[in-house]
mmCIF file of all heavy atoms in Angstrom:
data_model
loop_
_atom_site.group_PDB
_atom_site.id
_atom_site.type_symbol
_atom_site.label_atom_id
_atom_site.label_comp_id
_atom_site.label_asym_id
_atom_site.label_seq_id
_atom_site.Cartn_x
_atom_site.Cartn_y
_atom_site.Cartn_z
ATOM 1 N N MET A 7 2.575 0.009 -1.867
ATOM 2 C CA MET A 7 3.826 -0.363 -1.077
ATOM 3 C C MET A 7 4.489 0.946 -0.614
ATOM 4 O O MET A 7 4.887 1.018 0.536
ATOM 5 C CB MET A 7 4.771 -1.136 -2.022
ATOM 6 C CG MET A 7 4.314 -2.544 -2.444
ATOM 7 S SD MET A 7 5.513 -3.254 -3.606
ATOM 8 C CE MET A 7 4.809 -4.952 -3.672
ATOM 9 N N SER A 8 4.562 1.916 -1.504
ATOM 10 C CA SER A 8 5.219 3.154 -1.104
ATOM 11 C C SER A 8 4.437 3.927 -0.034
ATOM 12 O O SER A 8 5.111 4.382 0.905
ATOM 13 C CB SER A 8 5.401 4.069 -2.354
ATOM 14 O OG SER A 8 6.137 3.460 -3.333
ATOM 15 N N ALA A 9 3.137 3.940 -0.167
ATOM 16 C CA ALA A 9 2.337 4.654 0.827
ATOM 17 C C ALA A 9 2.428 3.975 2.166
ATOM 18 O O ALA A 9 2.473 4.619 3.184
ATOM 19 C CB ALA A 9 0.851 4.764 0.356
ATOM 20 N N TYR A 10 2.345 2.635 2.116
ATOM 21 C CA TYR A 10 2.433 1.849 3.419
ATOM 22 C C TYR A 10 3.775 2.143 4.056
ATOM 23 O O TYR A 10 3.839 2.326 5.320
ATOM 24 C CB TYR A 10 2.256 0.357 3.052
ATOM 25 C CG TYR A 10 2.375 -0.505 4.265
ATOM 26 C CD1 TYR A 10 1.337 -0.774 5.059
ATOM 27 C CD2 TYR A 10 3.647 -1.183 4.574
ATOM 28 C CE1 TYR A 10 1.402 -1.603 6.175
ATOM 29 C CE2 TYR A 10 3.785 -2.039 5.677
ATOM 30 C CZ TYR A 10 2.595 -2.233 6.474
ATOM 31 O OH TYR A 10 2.753 -3.044 7.560
ATOM 32 N N GLN A 11 4.913 2.116 3.314
ATOM 33 C CA GLN A 11 6.164 2.365 3.966
ATOM 34 C C GLN A 11 6.330 3.769 4.436
ATOM 35 O O GLN A 11 6.957 3.982 5.494
ATOM 36 C CB GLN A 11 7.314 2.032 2.911
ATOM 37 C CG GLN A 11 8.731 1.952 3.471
ATOM 38 C CD GLN A 11 8.858 0.862 4.485
ATOM 39 O OE1 GLN A 11 8.234 -0.197 4.414
ATOM 40 N NE2 GLN A 11 9.702 1.082 5.445
ATOM 41 N N LEU A 12 5.789 4.700 3.725
ATOM 42 C CA LEU A 12 5.804 6.113 4.191
ATOM 43 C C LEU A 12 5.115 6.199 5.533
ATOM 44 O O LEU A 12 5.584 6.861 6.466
ATOM 45 C CB LEU A 12 5.078 7.030 3.183
ATOM 46 C CG LEU A 12 4.876 8.462 3.560
ATOM 47 C CD1 LEU A 12 6.204 9.163 3.732
ATOM 48 C CD2 LEU A 12 3.981 9.248 2.536
ATOM 49 N N ALA A 13 3.973 5.491 5.658
ATOM 50 C CA ALA A 13 3.279 5.499 6.946
ATOM 51 C C ALA A 13 4.009 4.855 8.064
ATOM 52 O O ALA A 13 4.106 5.290 9.154
ATOM 53 C CB ALA A 13 1.873 4.837 6.753
ATOM 54 N N GLN A 14 4.712 3.709 7.669
ATOM 55 C CA GLN A 14 5.442 2.940 8.728
ATOM 56 C C GLN A 14 6.569 3.828 9.273
ATOM 57 O O GLN A 14 6.899 3.766 10.448
ATOM 58 C CB GLN A 14 6.106 1.750 7.988
ATOM 59 C CG GLN A 14 5.198 0.593 7.815
ATOM 60 C CD GLN A 14 4.997 -0.293 9.095
ATOM 61 O OE1 GLN A 14 4.646 0.263 10.117
ATOM 62 N NE2 GLN A 14 5.240 -1.544 8.931
ATOM 63 N N GLU A 15 7.220 4.619 8.411
ATOM 64 C CA GLU A 15 8.327 5.458 8.811
ATOM 65 C C GLU A 15 7.949 6.790 9.445
ATOM 66 O O GLU A 15 8.793 7.467 10.088
ATOM 67 C CB GLU A 15 9.245 5.628 7.653
ATOM 68 C CG GLU A 15 9.916 4.408 7.114
ATOM 69 C CD GLU A 15 10.876 4.635 5.971
ATOM 70 O OE1 GLU A 15 11.365 5.799 5.921
ATOM 71 O OE2 GLU A 15 11.073 3.721 5.158
ATOM 72 N N ASN A 16 6.688 7.217 9.295
ATOM 73 C CA ASN A 16 6.390 8.575 9.804
ATOM 74 C C ASN A 16 5.226 8.670 10.717
ATOM 75 O O ASN A 16 5.120 9.634 11.435
ATOM 76 C CB ASN A 16 6.089 9.438 8.478
ATOM 77 C CG ASN A 16 7.296 9.758 7.674
ATOM 78 O OD1 ASN A 16 8.062 10.608 8.006
ATOM 79 N ND2 ASN A 16 7.498 8.925 6.670
ATOM 80 N N LEU A 17 4.281 7.680 10.720
ATOM 81 C CA LEU A 17 3.121 7.737 11.675
ATOM 82 C C LEU A 17 3.533 7.231 13.004
ATOM 83 O O LEU A 17 4.381 6.432 13.172
ATOM 84 C CB LEU A 17 1.935 6.956 11.087
ATOM 85 C CG LEU A 17 1.295 7.492 9.793
ATOM 86 C CD1 LEU A 17 0.094 6.713 9.463
ATOM 87 C CD2 LEU A 17 0.912 9.022 9.993
ATOM 88 N N LYS A 18 2.839 7.715 14.039
ATOM 89 C CA LYS A 18 3.023 7.247 15.400
ATOM 90 C C LYS A 18 2.314 5.910 15.625
ATOM 91 O O LYS A 18 1.435 5.452 14.794
ATOM 92 C CB LYS A 18 2.495 8.323 16.350
ATOM 93 C CG LYS A 18 3.101 9.671 16.346
ATOM 94 C CD LYS A 18 2.545 10.650 17.256
ATOM 95 C CE LYS A 18 1.177 11.063 16.849
ATOM 96 N NZ LYS A 18 0.633 12.103 17.746
ATOM 97 N N ASP A 19 2.648 5.216 16.693
ATOM 98 C CA ASP A 19 2.116 3.924 16.986
ATOM 99 C C ASP A 19 0.580 3.919 17.071
ATOM 100 O O ASP A 19 -0.052 2.899 16.637
ATOM 101 C CB ASP A 19 2.636 3.388 18.338
ATOM 102 C CG ASP A 19 4.148 3.102 18.255
ATOM 103 O OD1 ASP A 19 4.653 2.969 17.095
ATOM 104 O OD2 ASP A 19 4.741 2.926 19.315
ATOM 105 N N ASP A 20 -0.034 4.985 17.510
ATOM 106 C CA ASP A 20 -1.533 4.986 17.576
ATOM 107 C C ASP A 20 -2.194 5.584 16.443
ATOM 108 O O ASP A 20 -3.363 5.827 16.447
ATOM 109 C CB ASP A 20 -1.981 5.686 18.948
ATOM 110 C CG ASP A 20 -1.397 7.131 19.070
ATOM 111 O OD1 ASP A 20 -0.538 7.505 18.246
ATOM 112 O OD2 ASP A 20 -1.822 7.868 19.978
ATOM 113 N N ASP A 21 -1.426 6.016 15.394
ATOM 114 C CA ASP A 21 -1.980 6.520 14.160
ATOM 115 C C ASP A 21 -2.457 5.342 13.279
ATOM 116 O O ASP A 21 -1.991 4.249 13.368
ATOM 117 C CB ASP A 21 -0.981 7.346 13.398
ATOM 118 C CG ASP A 21 -0.832 8.721 14.059
ATOM 119 O OD1 ASP A 21 -1.700 9.186 14.756
ATOM 120 O OD2 ASP A 21 0.279 9.305 13.835
ATOM 121 N N ILE A 22 -3.367 5.663 12.352
ATOM 122 C CA ILE A 22 -3.963 4.559 11.443
ATOM 123 C C ILE A 22 -3.940 5.056 10.014
ATOM 124 O O ILE A 22 -4.418 6.108 9.708
ATOM 125 C CB ILE A 22 -5.380 4.234 11.866
ATOM 126 C CG1 ILE A 22 -5.429 3.758 13.329
ATOM 127 C CG2 ILE A 22 -5.911 3.170 10.957
ATOM 128 C CD1 ILE A 22 -6.811 3.518 13.871
ATOM 129 N N LEU A 23 -3.303 4.311 9.185
ATOM 130 C CA LEU A 23 -3.324 4.571 7.745
ATOM 131 C C LEU A 23 -4.578 3.901 7.139
ATOM 132 O O LEU A 23 -4.919 2.747 7.407
ATOM 133 C CB LEU A 23 -2.092 3.889 7.021
ATOM 134 C CG LEU A 23 -2.020 3.946 5.567
ATOM 135 C CD1 LEU A 23 -2.006 5.332 5.012
ATOM 136 C CD2 LEU A 23 -0.848 3.082 5.034
ATOM 137 N N VAL A 24 -5.302 4.644 6.370
ATOM 138 C CA VAL A 24 -6.525 4.200 5.686
ATOM 139 C C VAL A 24 -6.317 4.251 4.152
ATOM 140 O O VAL A 24 -6.202 5.292 3.605
ATOM 141 C CB VAL A 24 -7.786 5.027 6.104
ATOM 142 C CG1 VAL A 24 -9.038 4.404 5.555
ATOM 143 C CG2 VAL A 24 -7.879 5.163 7.630
ATOM 144 N N LEU A 25 -6.368 2.989 3.500
ATOM 145 C CA LEU A 25 -6.156 2.975 2.121
ATOM 146 C C LEU A 25 -7.391 2.627 1.360
ATOM 147 O O LEU A 25 -8.089 1.602 1.699
ATOM 148 C CB LEU A 25 -5.087 1.868 1.852
ATOM 149 C CG LEU A 25 -3.659 2.158 2.375
ATOM 150 C CD1 LEU A 25 -2.800 0.922 2.261
ATOM 151 C CD2 LEU A 25 -3.028 3.326 1.555
ATOM 152 N N ASP A 26 -7.737 3.414 0.393
ATOM 153 C CA ASP A 26 -8.967 3.100 -0.417
ATOM 154 C C ASP A 26 -8.680 1.955 -1.370
ATOM 155 O O ASP A 26 -9.613 1.223 -1.777
ATOM 156 C CB ASP A 26 -9.473 4.345 -1.108
ATOM 157 C CG ASP A 26 -8.454 4.969 -2.099
ATOM 158 O OD1 ASP A 26 -7.269 4.634 -1.959
ATOM 159 O OD2 ASP A 26 -8.928 5.820 -2.920
ATOM 160 N N GLU A 27 -7.483 1.775 -1.768
ATOM 161 C CA GLU A 27 -7.055 0.644 -2.619
ATOM 162 C C GLU A 27 -5.770 0.042 -2.008
ATOM 163 O O GLU A 27 -4.666 0.496 -2.377
ATOM 164 C CB GLU A 27 -6.892 1.075 -4.062
ATOM 165 C CG GLU A 27 -8.193 1.545 -4.709
ATOM 166 C CD GLU A 27 -8.063 1.747 -6.199
ATOM 167 O OE1 GLU A 27 -6.866 1.689 -6.714
ATOM 168 O OE2 GLU A 27 -9.062 2.010 -6.868
ATOM 169 N N GLY A 28 -5.929 -0.866 -1.088
ATOM 170 C CA GLY A 28 -4.760 -1.462 -0.419
ATOM 171 C C GLY A 28 -4.313 -2.719 -1.088
ATOM 172 O O GLY A 28 -4.608 -3.022 -2.203
ATOM 173 N N PHE A 29 -3.560 -3.535 -0.261
ATOM 174 C CA PHE A 29 -2.926 -4.741 -0.788
ATOM 175 C C PHE A 29 -3.990 -5.766 -1.301
ATOM 176 O O PHE A 29 -3.793 -6.390 -2.314
ATOM 177 C CB PHE A 29 -2.050 -5.390 0.241
ATOM 178 C CG PHE A 29 -0.841 -4.508 0.682
ATOM 179 C CD1 PHE A 29 -0.859 -3.805 1.813
ATOM 180 C CD2 PHE A 29 0.272 -4.506 -0.177
ATOM 181 C CE1 PHE A 29 0.319 -3.085 2.139
ATOM 182 C CE2 PHE A 29 1.341 -3.755 0.119
ATOM 183 C CZ PHE A 29 1.350 -2.973 1.347
ATOM 184 N N TYR A 30 -5.014 -5.906 -0.564
ATOM 185 C CA TYR A 30 -6.082 -6.873 -1.020
ATOM 186 C C TYR A 30 -6.788 -6.427 -2.310
ATOM 187 O O TYR A 30 -7.023 -7.246 -3.214
ATOM 188 C CB TYR A 30 -7.129 -7.124 0.128
ATOM 189 C CG TYR A 30 -6.723 -8.172 1.110
ATOM 190 C CD1 TYR A 30 -6.099 -7.858 2.274
ATOM 191 C CD2 TYR A 30 -6.970 -9.524 0.797
ATOM 192 C CE1 TYR A 30 -5.661 -8.932 3.166
ATOM 193 C CE2 TYR A 30 -6.569 -10.548 1.665
ATOM 194 C CZ TYR A 30 -5.922 -10.191 2.873
ATOM 195 O OH TYR A 30 -5.542 -11.243 3.712
ATOM 196 N N HIS A 31 -7.100 -5.110 -2.351
ATOM 197 C CA HIS A 31 -7.708 -4.590 -3.550
ATOM 198 C C HIS A 31 -6.824 -4.742 -4.759
ATOM 199 O O HIS A 31 -7.322 -5.216 -5.860
ATOM 200 C CB HIS A 31 -8.128 -3.128 -3.313
ATOM 201 C CG HIS A 31 -8.908 -2.552 -4.475
ATOM 202 N ND1 HIS A 31 -10.296 -2.730 -4.546
ATOM 203 C CD2 HIS A 31 -8.566 -1.909 -5.609
ATOM 204 C CE1 HIS A 31 -10.761 -2.177 -5.629
ATOM 205 N NE2 HIS A 31 -9.685 -1.650 -6.303
ATOM 206 N N LYS A 32 -5.539 -4.381 -4.653
ATOM 207 C CA LYS A 32 -4.602 -4.568 -5.738
ATOM 208 C C LYS A 32 -4.490 -6.059 -6.114
ATOM 209 O O LYS A 32 -4.382 -6.383 -7.352
ATOM 210 C CB LYS A 32 -3.305 -3.903 -5.418
ATOM 211 C CG LYS A 32 -3.322 -2.437 -5.284
ATOM 212 C CD LYS A 32 -3.629 -1.748 -6.547
ATOM 213 C CE LYS A 32 -3.438 -0.205 -6.479
ATOM 214 N NZ LYS A 32 -3.715 0.436 -7.795
ATOM 215 N N THR A 33 -4.460 -6.869 -5.188
ATOM 216 C CA THR A 33 -4.322 -8.318 -5.462
ATOM 217 C C THR A 33 -5.576 -8.791 -6.272
ATOM 218 O O THR A 33 -5.473 -9.561 -7.234
ATOM 219 C CB THR A 33 -4.236 -9.103 -4.219
ATOM 220 O OG1 THR A 33 -3.060 -8.721 -3.489
ATOM 221 C CG2 THR A 33 -4.206 -10.601 -4.490
#
């Protein structure tokens, strides 16, 4: 959640966050 929000607030529109353990994995 924290990493996703950090990306939301700091990355540009055409940037891409890549999570090795994202929401689906944690679920």
Side-chain angles (χ1 to χ4, degrees):
M7 290 175 175
S8 300
Y10 178 84
Q11 191 64 31
L12 175 64
Q14 282 279 55
E15 295 183 22
N16 291 276
L17 292 185
K18 297 180 292 187
D19 290 344
D20 55 350
D21 288 334
I22 301 173
L23 172 66
V24 186
L25 295 170
D26 59 345
E27 293 187 354
F29 294 103
Y30 273 97
H31 185 83
K32 291 294 187 181
T33 299

